[in-house]
Amino acid sequence: MRKITTLHPSDIVVQAEGNIVSDMDGEKVMLSVQKGKYYNLGEVGGDIWNALSKPATVAEITSTIERAYEVKADICQQDVISFLQHLLDEELITLLDA
């Protein structure tokens, strides 16, 4: 794992271990056991979370969301990177070495 401040499309990320995730009315909610905090990932966030079940590049995750929601590529990339950055800052995902 490496320390980084800004995610890039070629970065590889995956779900961090130690979180309990559940579906509630179509949205994902998560409990970080380590931090004792709840997170509501929402519907799109839940889809991003599912895409993080195995290591994937930020670009691959962006492409998955872009196809699912028919959103413009540049807007999708910006929003996905912002969401992933938040997950990374909260230590809910892990950044892997390429």
Side-chain angles (χ1 to χ4, degrees), residues 40-97:
N40 183 344
L41 302 181
E43 182 180 343
V44 178
D47 288 342
I48 293 172
W49 184 256
N50 289 338
L52 291 162
S53 63
K54 60 182 181 184
T57 65
V58 171
E60 290 169 335
I61 295 166
T62 299
S63 179
T64 297
I65 298 304
E66 184 183 332
R67 284 191 308 271
Y69 291 94
E70 297 181 11
V71 61
K72 291 183 178 180
D74 58 332
I75 293 171
C76 187
Q77 179 175 306
Q78 181 179 11
D79 290 349
V80 168
I81 287 176
S82 175
F83 184 80
L84 291 174
Q85 188 69 53
H86 179 70
L87 294 178
L88 185 63
D89 292 344
E90 292 292 320
E91 300 175 354
L92 300 172
I93 63 173
T94 302
L95 182 63
L96 302 176
D97 289 326

Side-chain angles (χ1 to χ4, degrees), residues 28-30 32 35 37-41 86 90 92:
K28 291 261 192 249
V29 292
M30 176 188 315
S32 168
K35 293 187 171 197
K37 291 175 67 176
Y38 281 98
Y39 301 89
N40 183 344
L41 302 181
H86 179 70
E90 292 292 320
L92 300 172

